[in-house]
Amino acid sequence: MQETKQNDISKNKNTLIANVIFACCLFILTILFLSTNTSAYLTRSVLGAIVIACAVYNFVLGRTKNKLSGKQITFSILVMIAVVFNIVSDILFVSNFALGASFVAASRICLVSAFIVLAGFSLRDSVISVVIFALCFLIITLNKNFMFYGYNILIFSFVAVISLMVGKSISNCFRVNNKLVYSFIVAGVVFLFLSDLFQIYYLFAGEIKALNILSVAFYYPAMFVLALSILIVNQNFISKTRI
């Protein structure tokens, strides 16, 4: 019994160390990305590879250490797909905005689907999402410096998707079970949401450098939290969730 506990502690330490290494690599390389003129293709590909490796590592570890439910496996796969789509969009954005934006939207839809898999969908999800969308709509339309360049439908469709993403993740926190798990996910989703908004403002409201820096600064921590959420859900999620 004592030997088993020691093995579990050792495995937990190894898991912690591995994720700390992933986080440190992302932090250091993000600083380099923001402070040097290194090729955007190279830096985004390397950072993306680290995030994908983190997500895969946590999924494999979760499956090895726990007997997972169908919800947990589906959630993990959808989050990993979302992460991959994000990385693809990062690379495409360098040369093709419309295609890059499409992959970003697809990744956010995958995240929304993952949250629905865990907790279903309710009227509360819609109400919170609509409120967030309305606030974003006002922030964009009331800014006289915001130029749509003919992308009105694309921009507001994307804002609707990320509003649903945040609204659904926040709404899940009101459920009886898994509050800590859902709260952890919200942290990553809010960071991702802010990164998206900063990037939208950067692209369509004057290309202020500070906004691009903030977008990147929020983006990679968000990706790390979402990659880590795979392990958190697989270790701590209670399958039978009540509203």
Side-chain angles (χ1 to χ4, degrees):
M1 180 69 73
Q2 187 175 358
E3 189 175 329
T4 302
K5 287 183 178 180
Q6 288 178 343
N7 288 336
D8 288 341
I9 292 172
S10 177
K11 288 179 181 179
N12 288 334
K13 283 185 179 179
N14 292 337
T15 301
L16 177 61
I17 291 171
N19 278 288
V20 168
I21 291 173
F22 283 128
C24 289
C25 288
L26 283 173
F27 176 76
I28 294 170
L29 290 174
T30 300
I31 296 299
L32 290 175
F33 173 55
L34 291 172
S35 58
T36 64
N37 292 321
T38 310
S39 166
Y41 284 110
L42 176 62
T43 53
R44 294 182 183 191
S45 297
V46 172
L47 287 166
I50 293 172
V51 174
I52 292 173
C54 182
V56 172
Y57 170 81
N58 286 318
F59 176 60
V60 172
L61 189 68
R63 290 207 66 178
T64 302
K65 295 177 66 175
N66 305 281
K67 185 178 180 180
L68 305 182
S69 68
K71 286 184 178 182
Q72 289 167 303
I73 294 174
T74 304
F75 170 84
S76 301
I77 292 173
L78 285 170
V79 171
M80 285 193 291
I81 292 173
V83 167
V84 171
F85 280 178
N86 264 319
I87 304 315
V88 171
S89 71
D90 286 345
I91 298 170
L92 289 175
F93 257 128
V94 177
S95 58
N96 191 320
F97 169 76
L99 191 57
S102 299
F103 270 89
V104 174
S107 74
R108 305 303 183 263
I109 291 172
C110 284
L111 288 176
V112 172
S113 301
F115 304 152
I116 292 174
V117 164
L118 289 186
F121 196 83
S122 68
L123 178 60
R124 181 178 57 228
D125 303 340
S126 301
V127 172
I128 296 175
S129 300
V130 169
V131 170
I132 294 172
F133 176 80
L135 291 173
C136 292
F137 182 85
L138 290 174
I139 290 172
I140 291 173
T141 55
L142 294 178
N143 186 345
K144 295 180 180 180
N145 295 322
F146 200 95
M147 304 296 291
F148 290 95
Y149 302 115
Y151 289 110
N152 305 56
I153 296 176
L154 181 64
I155 291 171
F156 285 122
S157 296
F158 180 68
V159 171
V161 171
I162 63 174
S163 298
L164 178 59
M165 175 185 71
V166 179
K168 175 57 182 167
S169 65
I170 292 174
S171 177
N172 284 352
C173 291
F174 289 94
R175 292 174 176 267
V176 174
N177 297 325
N178 306 308
K179 284 184 178 293
L180 290 177
V181 174
Y182 290 134
S183 297
F184 183 82
I185 293 172
V186 166
V189 171
V190 169
F191 268 50
L192 187 58
F193 174 74
L194 291 174
S195 173
D196 287 340
L197 283 185
F198 287 136
Q199 191 62 29
I200 290 172
Y201 258 72
Y202 171 73
L203 293 172
F204 297 98
E207 293 194 353
I208 301 171
K209 188 176 181 179
L211 291 175
N212 189 48
I213 293 173
L214 284 171
S215 178
V216 174
F218 277 90
Y219 177 72
Y220 287 105
M223 287 291 96
F224 172 74
V225 170
L226 289 172
L228 184 57
S229 73
I230 293 173
L231 181 62
I232 301 297
V233 167
N234 288 345
Q235 287 188 337
N236 303 286
F237 184 76
I238 302 170
S239 294
K240 292 184 180 179
T241 308
R242 301 195 309 273
I243 294 176

